[in-house]
Amino acid sequence: MKRHDVLILGAGPAGLSCAARLAELGVRDIVILERESVAGGVPRHCGHTAFGLREFRRLMSGPAYASRLAASASNIGIRTRTTVTAIAPGGIVDIVDPESGPDRIAGRSVLLAFGVRETPRSTRLVSGDRPWGVTTTGALQQFVYLEHRKPFQRAVVVGSELVAFSALLTLRHAKIECAAMIEAGPRITARRPGDWFARLALGVPVQTRTKLIAIHGGTNVEGVEIERAGRRRRIACDGLIFTGQFRPETATLAASHLALDPSTGGPMIDQYWRASDPAYFVAGNLLRPVETAGVAYAEGRAAAQSIAASLAGKLPSAERMIALSAAAPLKYIYPQRLALPLGSLSPLLLKARIQRQARGRLRLSAGGRELWSRAMTALPERRLSIPVSLLPQGEVDDIAVDFIEG
Ligand SMILES: Cc1cc2nc3c(=O)[nH]c(=O)nc-3n(C[C@H](O)[C@H](O)[C@H](O)COP(=O)(O)OP(=O)(O)OC[C@H]3O[C@@H](n4cnc5c(N)ncnc54)[C@H](O)[C@@H]3O)c2cc1C
């Protein structure tokens, strides 16, 4: 079995930025494993211009952004069409590729950067018929941008978080009419200008407090039944796009030895992006459902710093940990553990999200003493950041983050 210094599993923004940063830090023996035939991850099939501002200071289309990331890692070995099928303790990874079949490879350190997957209709419990034309944003983008197909003429989009707007832009690109964007909650999940953008710039009716009741059709979708304020009506359409409800892509991790966090759905990490087995590090959307590509990129680079330190034997040990957990109304918090002694934590932030709209105070305490708090009205899916640099650098027994309503 060949052992490399670093294996990077997944060639999306997190994996590629980690690889490029490791190379800058002088790590040479890196192999990237990617199941698709081309590196770049999700941005490869997001043809619209909504990438790169944060990391490259210019607006780029998804494919241009993906190519730039792949070029930055071009001196590093990328094995495409190689699927990771299992991981084992100590950085051992089982892979399969169509030419050489199953194989085993190892890394002194391994970055997990598998991204997310969308929840398909089959697990959403929507009643009605099972016609063709029901899809997710990712699948729609593959049809439109990679295969240059127009899968339907008139679509309804279900959901209103950030990626739903990616679906609207894709529909516009393909010249598919969007009959409505529907959202069960009282307001859109993405930030407010989003609904103005949908209505005014794209001409899409946005209907909040509206539930999808059933899908109708024979071979193809013919319409959907929706309910608003107790009244039902039918919208004629031949396509239905489910957006949101992402889950970290943990298919290969569920049966592994790594500790997963049921609230994020991804592996637990400490402040060094290190999983419960110190040979493994995690970055990007695998940590929690979807952030922007810029966030995944920054996480990949930050994880590279820790991996380089680990290879040099300079990363603090993972033996003593303080666990953090999210109590309602917080949905989750990560890193889920902090390795002791805390050492230098900057620029890491604890990140949290909330389950439902809540007004109150987000609070950080250590040893029963409040260190920081902020009054806020928090909305579901909004990112909450807690400055860890305020934690005492020495010994601490307990650290708590909570949201006090009222
Ligand atoms: C539909 C959609 C639209 C989006 N639109 C935008 C947008 O407009 N602007 C923006 O900033 N962000 C957008 N995002 C978010 C952005 O794309 C992601 O934040 C970013 O791609 C995350 O990077 P990542 O490296 O964590 O994961 P990904 O980009 O998902 O990359 C993960 C990689 O791992 C590979 N992989 C997975 N499992 C295996 C395995 N078992 N073996 C080998 N390889 C594997 C995958 O093939 C993939 O290449 C969108 C996301 C989605 C899903």
Side-chain angles (χ1 to χ4, degrees):
M1 179 175 58
K2 182 114 176 74
R3 185 176 281 273
H4 298 274
D5 279 345
V6 184
L7 293 183
I8 293 185
L9 313 187
L16 291 172
S17 68
C18 179
R21 181 71 186 130
L22 280 167
E24 283 167 20
L25 293 169
V27 179
R28 295 280 164 261
D29 182 16
I30 307 167
V31 174
I32 306 172
L33 304 173
E34 166 57 49
R35 71 178 167 197
E36 299 287 332
S37 51
V38 179
V42 168
R44 252 183 3 101
H45 51 77
C46 293
H48 51 268
T49 309
F51 292 86
L53 209 49
R54 177 178 164 153
E55 50 286 44
F56 302 128
R57 309 229 179 287
R58 48 181 287 230
L59 261 179
M60 304 166 84
S61 74
Y65 176 81
S67 302
R68 176 152 179 179
L69 290 183
S72 71
S74 58
N75 293 334
I76 299 162
I78 304 186
R79 283 182 63 174
T80 52
R81 302 177 73 215
T82 304
T83 301
V84 175
T85 52
I87 63 157
I92 295 171
V93 175
D94 288 338
I95 55 175
V96 65
D97 79 54
E99 275 88 49
S100 45
D103 198 0
R104 185 163 260 203
I105 183 168
R108 286 171 63 205
S109 292
V110 179
L111 180 81
L112 302 169
F114 292 136
V116 282
R117 70 188 134 90
E118 289 175 272
T119 304
R121 177 211 169 137
S122 50
T123 46
R124 289 187 189 234
L125 304 176
V126 183
S127 64
D129 305 321
R130 306 244 143 212
W132 192 91
V134 180
T135 188
T136 59
T137 315
L140 170 74
Q141 290 183 331
Q142 299 208 13
F143 277 131
V144 171
Y145 293 122
L146 296 189
E147 296 167 26
H148 308 290
R149 286 166 60 192
K150 183 174 179 177
F152 22 74
Q153 305 295 325
R154 189 170 201 259
V156 168
V157 170
V158 182
S160 65
E161 47 60 71
L162 209 56
V163 169
F165 291 85
S166 198
L168 294 187
L169 291 170
T170 308
L171 292 176
R172 185 179 66 166
H173 176 89
K175 298 191 171 47
I176 298 170
E177 181 191 352
C178 184
M181 170 188 249
I182 62 168
E183 164 58 50
R187 50 174 292 164
I188 63 159
T189 312
R191 289 190 185 277
R192 203 142 241 158
D195 47 359
W196 302 342
F197 172 71
R199 285 189 180 109
L200 302 177
L202 303 178
V204 173
V206 179
Q207 301 185 7
T208 53
R209 299 179 199 275
T210 303
K211 276 196 264 178
L212 175 69
I213 301 297
I215 303 168
H216 297 300
T219 311
N220 296 320
V221 173
E222 288 164 14
V224 293
E225 194 173 340
I226 58 167
E227 184 181 273
R228 184 166 201 269
R231 289 180 55 195
R232 292 193 176 187
R233 78 180 176 93
R234 193 170 165 139
I235 304 178
C237 60
D238 61 350
L240 181 70
I241 301 142
F242 284 111
T243 68
Q245 297 192 22
F246 291 94
R247 301 169 62 79
E249 179 52 276
T250 52
T252 50
L253 307 180
S256 79
H257 63 301
L258 291 188
L260 301 183
D261 177 353
S263 58
T264 55
M268 291 187 175
I269 53 159
D270 66 14
Q271 70 267 40
Y272 301 110
W273 312 89
R274 182 170 52 183
S276 55
D277 173 346
Y280 289 90
F281 294 77
V282 191
N285 282 339
L286 179 63
L287 285 170
R288 80 296 79 187
V290 63
E291 288 282 357
T292 62
V295 171
Y297 174 92
E299 290 171 346
R301 286 180 68 84
Q305 296 283 145
S306 291
I307 292 173
S310 172
L311 292 173
K314 291 187 180 152
L315 203 63
S317 104
E319 276 160 27
R320 289 187 309 131
M321 295 277 181
I322 290 187
L324 294 172
S325 59
L330 291 180
K331 184 172 171 185
Y332 61 66
I333 185 160
Y334 68 95
Q336 295 84 352
R337 335 191 223 205
L338 296 174
L340 296 177
L342 289 174
S344 166
L345 294 168
S346 103
L348 181 77
L349 295 171
L350 288 170
K351 301 274 181 70
R353 278 189 208 173
I354 206 143
Q355 294 164 341
R356 54 179 161 76
Q357 181 169 339
R359 186 186 296 258
R361 253 182 343 121
L362 182 63
R363 179 175 70 170
L364 169 71
S365 9
R369 196 164 62 86
E370 179 174 313
L371 297 176
W372 173 89
S373 80
R374 203 172 94 203
M376 62 174 73
T377 300
L379 294 165
E381 300 303 324
R382 294 295 148 76
R383 289 72 169 151
L384 309 176
S385 295
I386 302 125
V388 180
S389 53
L390 295 171
L391 287 170
Q393 297 296 296
E395 289 298 302
V396 272
D397 295 328
D398 69 293
I399 296 169
V401 174
D402 52 7
F403 193 96
I404 310 147
E405 289 188 82

